[in-house]
Amino acid sequence: MSGEFHDGVVKALSNEALRGHLRRAMDSLIEKRLAVFPDSDELESLRHRCMGIRANALSKLPDLLVHLEARCEEQGIRVHWAETTAEANSIVLEILRSHRVERLVKGKSMVSEEMGLNHALEAEGIECLESDLGEFIIQLAGETPSHIVMPALHKSKQEIAELFHEKFPDIPYSDDVDELTAVARGILREKFMQADAGLSGVNFLVAETGTLCLVENEGNGRMSTTVPPLHIAVTGIEKVVERLTDVPPLLSLLTRSATGQPITTYFNMINGPRQPGEKDGPQEVHLVLLDNGRSRIFADEELQATLRCIRCGACINHCPVYTRLGGHAYGTVYPGPIGSILEPQKEGLERLGELAEASTLCGACGEVCPVRIPIPKLLNRLRWEGVRHDGSGETAGQGKRRKQSQALAWKGWSTLASHPALYRTAVKSASRFRRLLPQQLGPWTHVRKAPEIAEKPLRELAEEEGFSHE
Amino acid sequence: MRLLQREGLRVIFPRNQTCCGQPAYNGGYRDEARRVAAAQLDLFPQSYPIVVPSGSCAGMMKHHYPDLFAGTPWQVQANDVADRVWELTGFLTEVLDLQLKDLGEPVRVAMHTSCSARREMGVANAAEALLGQLQGVELVEQDHKSECCGFGGTFAVKQPEISAAMVGDKTESLRRTGAELVTSQDCGCLMNIGGAFEKQGDGPKTCHIAELLWERTRER
Amino acid sequence: MSDARSHILQRLRAVGRAEESELARPVASHPWSREEKLQRFTECMSAVRADVHLTNEREWCNDLQQILMTKGARNLVYAPATPHGQILQSGLSSGDIELIPYDQEIEQWKSRLFDETDASITSCHGAIAETGSLILWPDETEPRLLSLVPPVHCVLLQADQIYSTFAEAVENQGWAEDIPTNALLISGPSKSADIAQVLAYGVHGPKSLVVLVLR
Ligand code: SF4
């Protein structure tokens, strides 16, 4: 990974246009969020409540999943379980095959990105069409989402206009947003009509009522889950909440944190397939519950908090590192702070542990997270897991980032700093011989001058001034 | 220290103090961090408040010591120390209710509040309130004020490119304010920002807030 | 497949159950009067470019006709078995607007619904003042796609059916005991900001949402 991430960073940082574009986008998202939380007491009590709702759900996760399954089945929703993404893909494929599906239309789903579903299905000759406008754009461009809520956030209007012109040469060039939207609407309406099946993600699962909740603005989610005769929903096992009354506060914080909207245009609650006498809706609804490392994350009391996430993206919008890099540099499905805690745990520290180091721990993410995931604390914990060598704990790839040279350096440092006399001598000689110290301190001095060491250490000054040091 | 003493406090500077252990802690080396931190615990045996002139060290001692020492023989002692830790500007405003009389020349100052002072210690307002008392100080505000300067300790070394981009933006924001002086309650940020200004060849001077307050209010 | 189920559950069950987290008190609802609720609802709806018209049981048919004409709609899809459907059949006087009943399964007339309809009308199950949302519970008489496919969606709302918050509606209407196959909150016309954060309306669903409030 190391090389990959570094290459991504260098590439992203050298793209001036991207950096300006990201900064403006993030500034506006931050401002919009601020505007819908005028009352910080209300915000804090709502965050506290939502954290409680999610933590409560996790505390009974296995029971809630079993209950959810039973409620869904009662209502005619078929429930499937998958331990790995490969298993999830083959479940979806099997359902599609048994219905002879050739064309699938998709609503936005990060879990399907995690599964690499489009590739898996296309390899089997099934057409997968993304119908969320942002997803549609990046599918046209052959890219991956750069943000979990706004997948095409990295693209400017001109880039999209050129992309449409290249892919649909029959339609006159335009960089007018309304016209571009109309083009997509026209194309996708045809596809909704023709699709043999629709696939979506899920924002919340309600165990009490067996409900699949979907949050969206465009209506493509509703189209995908209502028009085709077959609907498959894919989601992670952690998405369940206990009661229906848990939903309103979560929904309120989700949309306000994500895009600064009091609510999205559509909130769609699905409780089953078309009933006798109903004139539309899918004849079959399937729910695929994916583990893919989540149960392992679940096993650690502290890291379990990762699973509270409701995928609002606020941590990403407020992250100074993401603002510099954009999503692609991370090279993962989930970018930004949430990605930096989730991905190393999912994929192993050996490969992705570096992401936990790519943070100043400034805390901007934790400050806005609607379910109060202590992201900086978890990043720090993952750094520890990366170099830990006591063999306890669950995290994948534990200890794999330990380098002998580094470990020795820290050991040496700790010896010095836990023996005051030694430390004093070291600091003193650094002061005395400061002129002899290097002026080039590796990468630090590329953009900064090396810090100057004081003529006299503070302790000596304090002593001279007569401060007591009992 | 002189500032505190002037207010009639008896200031004790434990001779054996070294480092709070934060660098190793943030690098993932918890055992090493604990070893160093443990050596500090004994230095503050009395029930006096512990005033720390750097937000991130204060944050380490107040918020991370309890975790670092949980389940160890030092647990009780670590919690006790954590309870008594104050960040300097927070201490000056909340405990001492410090009143200042400015004796210095007029100057434009921009304040960079460190992330740990802002988010861990919650003292972003304290420093500004103190600066606000100084008549000669015109406090100017940079854009993206609450954003991190890109230091992050080991981060600056492990991810030098991202760190450079961040401090580049931060110095530009500060420069745009026309400030002659940039101050902060955190030494790490100052080293980062000041070092970048120096490398760029010009820019505002940097100075720790304690020094700024002292220099402007002391009778000569 | 059932293997995956038992493996996952086994792993989850192996973890000691965390203490049940105590939920903070529900955030207090708003003490809004009927008028205040209507006002808040109207403000929120207008903020997302929905049209809210105050009318009453006698006049809504005429008002609707006016609105449809100004929007250039030539036809209106409706649910014939609903009370308002009955009224429309006799009440819509102008021959300029063709009434299209949604009285067959979608598969029978998908392309007509998608390609030839201009507007639709539905009832609703109440509304939410705080966020400016309509509650729809589509059923056998009033299908789901009525509120999604035609470019203009009109909704009849009883003024005394506006709840302060979503939580209040869920509680007072007893959703948990009696949830329909599909329940929806609709808060404005379809929109997207996926192109350069610029807001565009009518992406996949209706471009225009009209609420007729009956007092
Ligand atoms: S970690 Fe928190 S802020 Fe980030 S996406 Fe998840 S819920 Fe949102």
Side-chain angles (χ1 to χ4, degrees):
Chain A
M1 170 76 195
S2 195
E4 268 170 64
F5 179 60
H6 186 255
D7 293 348
V9 166
V10 173
K11 188 165 159 223
L13 289 174
S14 61
N15 186 342
E16 283 291 327
L18 176 68
R19 272 179 69 185
H21 177 75
L22 281 170
R23 173 59 108 182
R24 284 187 296 277
M26 296 300 128
D27 282 355
S28 107
L29 284 163
I30 290 172
E31 211 176 290
K32 283 185 195 150
R33 174 183 171 278
L34 215 54
V36 288
F37 289 118
D39 177 352
S40 66
D41 289 345
E42 188 241 17
L43 168 62
E44 291 313 317
S45 80
L46 204 48
R47 284 177 78 209
H48 187 69
R49 177 137 188 254
C50 287
M51 171 180 73
I53 289 171
R54 291 295 299 134
N56 173 59
L58 291 175
S59 78
K60 340 178 158 163
L61 186 58
D63 297 343
L64 292 185
L65 286 170
V66 170
H67 193 78
L68 171 85
E69 180 185 39
R71 290 293 288 133
C72 284
E73 297 274 356
E74 262 172 55
Q75 301 178 122
I77 298 175
R78 306 262 295 279
V79 180
H80 311 260
W81 304 68
E83 291 192 79
T84 61
T85 56
E87 224 171 272
N89 284 330
S90 56
I91 291 170
V92 173
L93 187 64
E94 213 168 289
I95 302 169
L96 295 179
R97 277 209 180 122
S98 71
H99 289 77
R100 299 183 204 296
V101 170
E102 288 169 13
R103 277 163 304 200
L104 175 79
V105 65
K106 283 180 70 195
K108 201 177 133 30
S109 152
M110 285 309 292
V111 169
S112 78
E113 297 286 342
E114 191 178 325
M115 290 158 57
L117 181 70
N118 292 10
H119 281 295
L121 295 184
E122 275 158 10
E124 300 293 328
I126 295 170
E127 177 193 290
C128 293
L129 188 79
E130 296 288 351
S131 65
D132 170 86
L133 185 54
E135 294 278 355
F136 176 71
I137 291 165
I138 58 164
Q139 189 179 33
L140 277 182
E143 294 176 6
T144 54
S146 66
H147 189 287
I148 63 173
V149 176
M150 289 147 285
L153 180 106
H154 58 289
K155 285 214 168 311
S156 71
K157 193 169 70 174
Q158 283 71 26
E159 285 174 285
I160 295 168
E162 273 155 35
L163 179 69
F164 274 41
H165 186 58
E166 182 198 322
K167 301 285 175 184
F168 313 114
D170 298 348
I171 299 163
Y173 175 90
S174 165
D175 63 5
D176 180 86
V177 173
D178 287 325
E179 280 175 37
L180 291 169
T181 305
V183 169
R185 177 183 169 106
I187 293 167
L188 286 165
R189 286 211 141 204
E190 281 304 307
K191 298 287 184 182
F192 288 129
M193 265 199 287
Q194 296 161 357
D196 309 310
L199 187 130
S200 75
V202 176
N203 292 93
F204 313 117
L205 295 164
V206 187
E208 178 184 33
T209 50
T211 306
L212 281 48
C213 303
L214 274 75
V215 177
E216 59 151 343
N217 279 312
E218 298 181 2
N220 68 304
R222 285 186 64 202
M223 288 279 187
S224 306
T225 59
T226 316
V227 181
L230 170 66
H231 168 211
I232 305 172
V234 295
T235 195
I237 51 170
E238 82 283 16
K239 288 277 168 66
V240 65
V241 296
E242 185 175 11
R243 284 177 296 246
L244 199 62
T245 47
D246 293 338
V247 170
L250 284 178
L251 175 65
S252 172
L253 266 197
L254 172 62
T255 64
R256 289 200 277 172
S257 304
T259 51
Q261 290 176 272
I263 193 167
T264 51
T265 299
Y266 300 113
F267 184 60
N268 185 6
M269 304 169 82
I270 297 169
N271 285 285
R274 186 189 306 189
Q275 301 299 305
E278 287 186 349
K279 298 179 182 64
D280 54 20
Q283 267 121 4
E284 265 182 42
V285 178
H286 295 258
L287 171 66
V288 181
L289 296 170
L290 174 67
D291 183 340
N292 191 28
R294 289 164 172 83
S295 56
R296 190 165 184 177
I297 299 174
F298 184 77
D300 185 282
E301 204 186 326
E302 184 180 32
L303 294 169
Q304 192 185 89
T306 313
L307 301 177
R308 294 209 293 258
C309 176
I310 55 172
R311 304 285 191 265
C312 72
C315 58
I316 303 177
N317 302 344
H318 289 73
C319 177
V321 173
Y322 180 92
T323 304
R324 303 299 179 307
L325 300 181
H328 289 150
Y330 291 80
T332 51
V333 174
Y334 302 90
I338 176 60
S340 297
I341 55 172
L342 181 61
E343 295 283 5
Q345 296 186 73
K346 243 168 17 87
E347 308 294 321
L349 290 163
E350 194 172 6
R351 196 163 85 76
L352 295 180
E354 187 177 11
L355 294 179
E357 290 160 13
S359 161
T360 64
L361 305 181
C362 76
C365 48
E367 188 178 49
V368 294
C369 176
V371 286
R372 288 191 173 159
I373 301 175
I375 300 173
K377 214 172 148 188
L378 301 189
L379 288 169
N380 187 298
R381 169 69 193 279
L382 291 175
R383 293 178 183 186
W384 179 40
E385 292 296 334
V387 299
R388 191 175 176 181
H389 60 158
D390 58 6
S392 58
E394 282 284 332
T395 314
Q398 190 193 57
K400 289 279 168 49
R401 299 194 57 75
R402 193 177 180 88
K403 290 197 201 93
Q404 215 40 47
S405 58
Q406 250 178 34
L408 275 175
W410 283 117
K411 199 158 200 94
W413 171 83
S414 74
T415 306
L416 208 61
S418 52
H419 293 88
L422 275 181
Y423 191 79
R424 273 197 297 275
T425 319
V427 172
K428 201 167 183 166
S429 34
S431 296
R432 299 291 180 269
F433 302 110
R434 64 189 195 285
R435 298 273 169 256
L436 303 177
L437 289 173
Q439 288 304 301
Q440 295 299 319
L441 295 176
W444 170 266
T445 40
H446 291 165
V447 296
R448 313 168 185 86
K449 279 190 100 164
E452 277 178 38
I453 295 174
E455 212 168 310
K456 274 186 188 166
L458 180 61
R459 187 190 34 262
E460 283 184 28
L461 288 175
E463 279 166 21
E464 285 170 17
E465 295 260 334
F467 284 97
S468 127
H469 50 68
E470 60 182 87
Chain B
M1 286 190 277
R2 293 185 187 125
L3 208 57
L4 295 172
Q5 211 161 36
R6 187 175 67 193
E7 295 304 304
L9 266 65
R10 190 167 149 243
V11 182
I12 301 163
F13 183 93
R15 185 176 143 85
N16 282 344
Q17 61 182 301
T18 58
C19 170
C20 66
Q22 185 186 205
Y25 185 70
N26 284 349
Y29 287 85
R30 292 200 177 176
D31 294 340
E32 288 74 6
R34 195 177 302 111
R35 186 163 168 220
V36 172
Q40 315 307 308
L41 293 177
D42 283 338
L43 306 176
F44 305 97
Q46 311 273 7
S47 60
Y48 307 143
I50 302 166
V51 180
V52 184
S54 214
S56 65
C57 313
M60 174 73 193
M61 296 175 75
K62 192 162 194 76
H63 297 290
H64 302 299
Y65 273 15
D67 283 341
L68 186 61
F69 290 105
T72 71
W74 296 284
Q75 186 172 348
V76 175
Q77 208 184 347
N79 288 341
D80 170 59
V81 165
D83 279 346
R84 287 185 284 134
V85 165
W86 287 87
E87 185 279 331
L88 174 68
T89 59
F91 185 79
L92 292 179
T93 50
E94 279 174 51
V95 179
L96 297 189
D97 190 18
L98 185 69
Q99 301 302 316
L100 295 166
K101 190 161 178 293
D102 195 3
L103 304 171
E105 300 288 311
V107 62
R108 299 186 106 197
V109 177
M111 172 77 202
H112 170 73
T113 291
S114 75
C115 299
S116 32
R118 178 183 301 280
R119 302 197 179 95
E120 283 189 333
M121 302 304 292
V123 295
N125 295 333
E128 286 182 25
L130 290 169
L131 291 173
Q133 288 187 35
L134 303 176
Q135 270 111 32
V137 168
E138 182 199 348
L139 193 59
V140 288
E141 201 166 286
Q142 65 275 28
D143 58 280
H144 300 98
K145 188 172 150 195
S146 63
E147 193 176 81
C148 178
C149 69
F151 176 57
T154 50
F155 171 80
V157 180
K158 290 196 169 166
Q159 299 293 338
E161 294 90 357
I162 311 174
S163 177
M166 288 168 71
V167 75
D169 289 347
K170 181 57 77 186
T171 47
E172 222 173 277
S173 301
L174 288 165
R175 203 185 288 277
R176 270 198 293 269
T177 61
E180 298 151 69
L181 191 73
V182 172
T183 187
S184 173
Q185 56 285 77
D186 224 292
C187 308
C189 309
L190 282 173
M191 187 165 81
N192 184 36
I193 295 170
F197 277 139
E198 269 189 62
K199 182 85 179 189
Q200 291 160 15
D202 68 336
K205 289 199 171 38
T206 53
C207 147
H208 191 275
I209 188 154
E211 191 182 336
L212 175 87
L213 295 177
W214 171 252
E215 287 298 331
R216 292 191 67 90
T217 57
R218 75 181 217 202
E219 316 262 349
R220 285 169 206 256
Chain C
M1 209 167 67
S2 58
D3 260 5
R5 181 184 190 274
S6 58
H7 290 162
I8 294 171
L9 288 173
Q10 208 171 11
R11 276 198 297 275
L12 296 179
R13 291 224 154 98
V15 178
R17 187 169 153 161
E19 248 170 74
E20 188 165 333
S21 150
E22 131 281 345
L23 299 189
R25 258 186 323 109
V27 181
S29 194
H30 308 280
W32 287 328
S33 71
R34 229 182 101 149
E35 277 311 304
E36 282 166 331
K37 282 192 277 192
L38 177 58
Q39 192 189 341
R40 168 88 189 203
F41 172 81
T42 309
E43 280 167 14
C44 291
M45 274 289 176
S46 311
V48 290
R49 289 215 203 154
D51 305 322
V52 180
H53 294 271
L54 293 181
T55 177
N56 57 48
E57 291 288 354
R58 271 182 302 109
E59 285 161 44
W60 69 262
C61 235
N62 273 334
D63 290 344
L64 174 67
Q65 194 163 318
Q66 286 300 317
I67 294 163
L68 291 176
M69 306 235 290
T70 49
K71 298 219 176 251
R74 291 153 305 154
N75 56 43
L76 178 72
V77 197
Y78 77 116
T82 53
H84 67 266
Q86 308 281 312
I87 296 171
L88 277 169
Q89 281 167 8
S90 56
L92 209 60
S93 54
S94 162
D96 293 343
I97 293 169
E98 181 197 356
L99 273 178
I100 304 176
Y102 195 153
D103 55 2
Q104 50 190 333
E105 292 204 326
I106 174 70
E107 286 76 15
Q108 318 303 318
W109 73 304
K110 215 185 245 179
S111 68
R112 179 157 189 233
L113 174 66
F114 271 80
D115 296 337
E116 293 170 28
T117 59
D118 293 338
S120 66
I121 183 161
T122 68
S123 64
C124 70
H125 203 70
I128 297 160
E130 185 181 52
T131 51
S133 311
L134 295 158
I135 302 165
L136 269 75
W137 284 19
D139 57 16
E140 58 268 37
T141 47
E142 216 170 39
R144 311 177 194 200
L145 291 175
L146 263 181
S147 61
L148 185 63
V149 177
V152 178
H153 175 210
C154 308
V155 186
L156 294 168
L157 166 67
Q158 301 288 343
D160 57 7
Q161 290 261 324
I162 305 178
Y163 297 89
S164 293
T165 61
F166 183 23
E168 192 185 300
V170 167
E171 200 102 334
N172 290 10
Q173 295 185 337
W175 289 36
E177 292 78 52
D178 178 28
I179 197 157
T181 341
N182 186 208
L184 293 163
L185 302 185
I186 299 182
S187 314
S190 153
K191 62 178 182 287
S192 174
D194 272 348
I195 302 181
Q197 276 79 60
V198 179
L199 210 51
Y201 288 88
V203 192
H204 300 291
K207 295 175 186 181
S208 152
L209 177 69
V210 179
V211 187
L212 297 162
V213 183
L214 304 178
R215 298 219 269 190

